[in-house]
Amino acid sequence: QVQLQESGPGLVKPSQTLSLTCTVSGGSISSGLYYWNWVRQPAGKGLEWIGRIYPSGYTNYNPSLKSRLTISIDTSKNQFSLNLNSVTAADTAVYYCARTFRQYAAIDLWGQGTMVTVSS
Amino acid sequence: QSVLTQPPSASGTPGQRVTISCSGSSTNIGSNSVKWYQYLPGTAPKLLIYSNHQRPSGVADRFSGSTSGTSASLAISGLQSEDEAEYYCAAWDDSLDGELFGGGTKLTVL
């Protein structure tokens, strides 16, 4: 059974870089059947799509975050990562990594989520 | 600010049928498939509907989806207390070249 697990610091200082990694277990991140996403939910607000990466390394980013965002993939480690720089309090949220099943064109598997707080 | 518009809240009594709407535009719902997710804060969202009206295996047939033009709807029949959750629509937007989520609808089972 495939599982996704987010990891990274729970506290980041303003203006610094938020870095998270998602480890995929029980399946290969290189499978052409899927691509890989980051989604977040600020407290009291709705879900926000951050971006996605294909096994090839091709990416799509949320235009509102694009200037600060890098998503990368390491197929040798079965991981993909998020780097969001110049963070502010507005980036405080629960961050989820998630898998899109291409046949569905929908996210069919999510990590448990990790809370990241931006504060000095 | 979501380009997919959902009512912030909905409610119903056990056994009732409730409908949640999602209004978009020609660049998202009008040209791409709609998904619906059930979300309980603190847990992982669950895919209920993909390709506008398809249910993944394991999702109860009480949940159904439909689209018309640039709008979509999620219907829940035979409402149960366990259905109390937030519901999000989502669709790819061609002009933004990104995935959009609706603002979410909090469903209360009275």
Side-chain angles (χ1 to χ4, degrees):
Chain A
Q1 184 175 348
V2 179
Q3 294 183 316
L4 308 180
Q5 179 66 59
E6 306 89 350
S7 59
L11 180 64
V12 181
K13 288 183 167 50
S15 79
Q16 294 193 343
T17 298
L18 184 161
S19 296
L20 295 174
T21 295
C22 181
T23 300
V24 179
S25 59
S28 173
I29 202 171
S30 299
S31 171
L33 296 176
Y34 307 106
Y35 45 86
W36 309 93
N37 302 265
W38 289 99
V39 178
R40 69 182 182 181
Q41 187 184 37
K45 296 187 178 181
L47 297 172
E48 179 181 30
W49 179 76
I50 297 171
R52 69 184 185 189
I53 189 164
Y54 289 72
S56 64
Y58 179 80
T59 54
N60 294 104
Y61 294 155
N62 185 321
S64 68
L65 299 170
K66 189 173 185 176
S67 63
R68 302 191 289 129
L69 180 63
T70 302
I71 296 176
S72 58
I73 192 166
D74 187 335
T75 55
S76 67
K77 294 182 178 179
N78 234 31
Q79 296 175 331
F80 63 106
S81 298
L82 163 73
N83 279 277
L84 184 66
N85 60 38
S86 304
V87 296
T88 70
D91 295 308
T92 294
V94 176
Y95 285 76
Y96 294 94
C97 60
R99 181 186 78 178
T100 293
F101 182 25
R102 297 183 73 160
Q103 180 178 332
Y104 289 179
I107 293 176
D108 70 329
L109 183 67
W110 300 72
Q112 66 183 22
T114 187
M115 180 69 202
V116 178
T117 301
V118 178
S119 175
S120 55
Chain B
Q1 191 168 358
S2 301
V3 180
L4 300 183
T5 303
Q6 298 181 237
S9 63
S11 63
T13 56
Q16 255 190 335
R17 182 178 188 272
V18 297
T19 301
I20 297 171
S21 63
C22 176
S23 177
S25 70
S26 60
T27 61
N28 42 67
I29 293 176
S31 53
N32 294 294
S33 66
V34 176
K35 291 81 75 168
W36 289 93
Y37 299 92
Q38 181 188 58
Y39 181 55
L40 288 166
T43 68
K46 176 184 177 182
L47 177 65
L48 294 177
I49 299 289
Y50 67 96
S51 294
N52 302 332
H53 62 90
Q54 301 288 344
R55 281 186 307 276
S57 61
V59 173
D61 59 6
R62 301 187 296 106
F63 295 92
S64 61
S66 63
T67 59
S68 178
T70 58
S71 294
S73 295
L74 173 71
I76 309 172
S77 60
L79 198 62
Q80 300 178 1
S81 58
E82 68 202 51
D83 299 331
E84 188 162 289
E86 296 175 14
Y87 292 84
Y88 289 86
C89 60
W92 186 262
D93 189 284
D94 292 332
S95 65
L96 294 176
D97 200 26
E99 184 84 354
L100 288 175
F101 283 96
T105 298
K106 181 173 175 56
L107 175 64
T108 301
V109 181
L110 301 170

